[in-house]
Amino acid sequence: MKHKTLIRRVGMGSVIALAALQALAAVSADEARKLGGSLTPVGAEMAGNADKSIPDYHGGLKDMPAGYQKGSGVRPDPFAADKPLYSIKAADAAKHEARLTAGSKELLKRYPSMRIDVYPTHRSAAFPKYVLDNTAKNATSVKTTDGGLGVEGTYAGIPFPIPKTGNEAMWNHLLRFNGYGYYTQYDSINVDSAGKAVLATTGQINVEYPYYDPKRSGISGENDIYFRTKIAYTAPARRAGEALLAQDYINPMKNGRKAWQYLPGQRRVKLAPDIAYDTPNPGSAGASTYDEGWIFNGALDRYDWKLLGKREMLVPYNGYKLTYAKEPMAVTAPNHLNPDFLRWELHRVWVVEATLKEGKRHIYAKRTFYLDEDSWFALASDQYDARGQLFRSGFASLTPSYDLPSPSASAQWFHDFVGGSYNVSGLLGAYPTGLKNIDALPAAQWSPEALAGAGVR
């Protein structure tokens, strides 16, 4: 009754303004003190679940496993000796339904050869001290702007370790710690509905997160770039020589994504404003959109974001066998990835639901994202069309770079349930570089003018 009285007194316009102010508020100092106590420094529950199938958190994986060579970008599997606890196939999927994403259930339902091998859970996500220290500062200082579409007052850490809204949770994913910068060479493979696998692209990619520059005290200006990537394609022959540069700003409503593309046939660099949102990604033969890279990337403005809470879910995790597979084609099978290369674990995830705003355009009317509580990486997503039917699903396997330490999720794959095809990307094992954490490139390397020569390394 008091709420209704308030609405009558201040008017609907003021109610909307009050709601916006509430979304802007950081958590109290008392609530922030949970970090490092009942909550991990980045906001996950420190304790495991009741039966300890999810264990307590002890700081993540920081010890180097046997066989790791210092400075190498190729990381041996620290859990290679683990055996599956159990496997899920279509016949017993109903028993595990509550812990399966819609995409996982659809794969089990459609394909008798699909199985989910569930391994012991290892909470392996770990962070450098400066990221944890800055996350503690962020808890009481960071605010969203423009109705949750931008952020301000943030330090180089997780911006909202105790999120209250869907926008805040998604900003945690967008500003997740993945190292300051890295370089890798990778393969992307398309598998059509007939089960034929073909090389989609081989690429050399540089990724930088200026947001995590340890020399900076914070980042809040609307002109500040928080993420940038440069990709040079070297194979197959029809795409060799292409290059792409994209960068995202801390307030996309003031500064939208800027992207440039170099096409050898045109011999020039041109602006590429369509490399965003639901433009089909040609590297996946249209099985995914540009904003599905890393499960989600880019601006939040086309959806309303609702935080549904936490769930215990079976998600890809500690996927060293997949990411560093020496023969990338071996990880594929007709209709789905080869289950022998996948490791699924039980983890708590934040569930965020995105509903397309009225008047906005996107091929997905509704989307569900599953964000790992320990790392804030999105590990799975389900996409629905305007009829409410499951259209596509994406997965990413957390594969921590324990040497930094840093969470990482290079390998990602997307299923198109309408076309029956799928794409898997971020396979690093065929190349000796692995995933190399590197210092910042010279500023000139991030200019559009340098893009034409990006494939020369």
Side-chain angles (χ1 to χ4, degrees):
M1 183 62 69
K2 290 181 180 179
H3 180 64
K4 291 182 179 178
T5 301
L6 178 63
I7 292 175
R8 283 197 295 269
R9 286 179 180 173
V10 303
M12 185 55 68
S14 297
V15 170
I16 294 172
L18 286 171
L21 286 172
Q22 186 178 20
L24 289 172
V27 302
S28 67
D30 284 344
E31 194 169 9
R33 277 192 279 272
K34 295 178 182 177
L35 299 173
S38 60
L39 301 178
T40 73
V42 299
E45 294 176 50
M46 191 77 78
N49 61 359
D51 65 3
K52 297 303 179 182
S53 53
I54 297 174
D56 297 346
Y57 183 74
H58 296 292
L61 178 64
K62 297 178 182 178
D63 295 331
M64 304 303 105
Y68 176 70
Q69 298 180 4
K70 185 177 180 180
S72 173
V74 178
R75 296 168 180 84
D77 184 355
F79 311 118
D82 286 357
K83 303 297 181 185
L85 300 172
Y86 57 93
S87 294
I88 304 172
K89 298 197 74 173
D92 53 357
K95 293 189 298 184
H96 305 277
E97 183 175 8
R99 290 176 168 177
L100 297 173
T101 68
S104 295
K105 287 185 279 192
E106 185 66 22
L107 288 168
L108 289 167
K109 177 183 174 182
R110 284 191 179 209
Y111 307 119
S113 55
M114 175 65 185
R115 75 174 192 274
I116 292 175
D117 292 337
V118 182
Y119 286 80
T121 295
H122 295 283
R123 299 178 69 177
S124 51
F127 303 84
K129 184 177 184 298
Y130 86 97
V131 174
L132 302 181
D133 291 344
N134 286 332
T135 298
K137 296 178 185 177
N138 286 340
T140 55
S141 68
V142 181
K143 299 178 181 179
T144 58
T145 63
D146 295 281
L149 302 180
V151 295
E152 67 177 15
T154 182
Y155 297 89
I158 303 300
F160 303 102
I162 306 176
K164 303 299 184 182
T165 68
N167 291 69
E168 291 179 355
M170 293 306 294
W171 269 112
N172 286 348
H173 165 68
L174 293 172
L175 298 179
R176 65 201 180 277
F177 181 68
N178 198 18
Y180 176 30
Y182 66 83
Y183 166 80
T184 190
Q185 189 167 0
Y186 70 95
D187 283 338
S188 174
I189 299 169
N190 290 330
V191 183
D192 64 20
S193 58
K196 181 181 179 182
V198 297
L199 178 67
T201 55
T202 294
Q204 298 173 337
I205 183 170
N206 280 92
V207 174
E208 276 187 16
Y209 295 88
Y211 174 80
Y212 278 106
D213 184 347
K215 300 182 182 68
R216 301 182 65 167
S217 61
I219 182 169
S220 60
E222 60 190 38
N223 294 320
D224 285 336
I225 297 168
Y226 73 83
F227 163 83
R228 56 191 177 191
T229 185
K230 180 169 63 171
I231 309 173
Y233 298 107
T234 59
R238 59 184 173 79
R239 298 204 65 184
E242 292 183 24
L244 172 69
L245 171 66
Q247 56 193 35
D248 286 332
Y249 294 80
I250 203 72
N251 190 329
M253 298 302 98
K254 299 295 193 302
N255 278 298
R257 168 173 290 178
K258 291 183 174 62
W260 296 266
Q261 193 172 32
Y262 176 76
L263 299 175
Q266 298 180 8
R267 295 184 177 231
R268 66 185 181 95
V269 175
K270 64 177 184 178
L271 279 168
D274 291 335
I275 297 179
Y277 298 113
D278 60 349
T279 301
N281 184 343
S284 67
S288 65
T289 58
Y290 270 118
D291 69 1
E292 286 180 280
W294 296 279
I295 302 299
F296 182 81
N297 72 91
L300 302 173
D301 59 311
R302 295 198 178 180
Y303 291 91
D304 291 317
W305 303 85
K306 184 177 180 181
L307 188 61
L308 300 183
K310 279 188 187 178
R311 290 172 59 186
E312 294 181 8
M313 301 290 289
L314 293 168
V315 289
Y317 220 95
N318 293 311
Y320 298 90
K321 190 173 184 179
L322 173 68
T323 299
Y324 296 103
K326 293 293 186 183
E327 298 181 12
M329 282 292 180
V331 312
T332 67
N335 306 314
H336 54 75
L337 289 180
N338 183 341
D340 293 342
F341 285 87
L342 294 181
R343 179 187 178 111
W344 302 79
E345 296 182 6
L346 183 67
H347 286 263
R348 284 186 295 247
V349 298
W350 288 97
V351 182
V352 180
E353 183 179 81
T355 303
L356 189 63
K357 290 181 178 179
E358 186 175 353
K360 293 289 188 178
R361 181 188 64 80
H362 201 288
I363 62 171
Y364 304 137
K366 185 167 288 189
R367 309 168 78 166
T368 305
F369 295 92
Y370 305 88
L371 314 181
D372 174 36
E373 70 163 348
D374 287 332
S375 67
W376 289 106
F377 276 67
L379 300 182
S381 65
D382 295 314
Q383 280 69 245
Y384 298 85
D385 62 22
R387 301 168 300 167
Q389 302 297 310
L390 183 63
F391 186 176
R392 292 173 178 161
S393 290
F395 300 92
S397 187
L398 200 77
T399 311
S401 299
Y402 38 70
D403 47 307
L404 189 54
S406 167
S408 179
S410 172
Q412 52 193 300
W413 59 103
F414 303 92
H415 288 272
D416 183 337
F417 293 117
V418 174
S421 61
Y422 74 93
N423 166 267
V424 57
S425 187
L427 302 174
L428 317 180
Y431 307 100
T433 305
L435 189 149
K436 295 279 289 186
N437 293 297
I438 60 174
D439 294 331
L441 295 178
Q445 289 295 314
W446 291 105
S447 68
E449 292 76 19
L451 192 59
V456 180
R457 190 173 182 82

